[in-house]
Amino acid sequence: MGSFSIWHWLIVLVIVALIFGTKKLGNMGADLGKAVKGFKDGVKGEEERAAEAKQQSTIDVQAKEKDKTAP
């Protein structure tokens, strides 16, 4: 009587799909994903975004010079 088996979870999933419909469940999942992404962006902070943008725009001059001299 401890944990549920896979069959219990499948039955619950089918009942939920019948009640809400697959389209509505898909929309709820997409909305939840957008909310999580927005939350992560908010937590990240402006300072980290600026540092990340600066790091991505940095060019390694020595690596470019090596490529030019390579045979």
Side-chain angles (χ1 to χ4, degrees):
M1 193 168 169
S3 65
F4 291 107
S5 70
I6 187 71
W7 294 109
H8 290 105
W9 291 113
L10 287 174
I11 291 171
V12 169
L13 181 64
V14 168
I15 292 171
V16 168
L18 288 173
I19 292 173
F20 293 108
T22 56
K23 185 175 181 179
K24 190 168 187 174
L25 288 175
N27 290 341
M28 287 174 23
D31 291 342
L32 181 63
K34 288 178 187 177
V36 169
K37 185 174 189 266
F39 179 75
K40 284 183 180 179
D41 287 344
V43 170
K44 194 172 184 181
E46 282 296 321
E47 293 174 10
E48 291 178 1
R49 282 190 217 127
E52 185 177 287
K54 183 179 178 184
Q55 184 181 18
Q56 289 177 351
S57 65
T58 304
I59 299 173
D60 189 3
V61 176
Q62 290 177 344
K64 280 195 160 202
E65 288 176 3
K66 281 185 179 180
D67 288 343
K68 289 180 183 177
T69 60

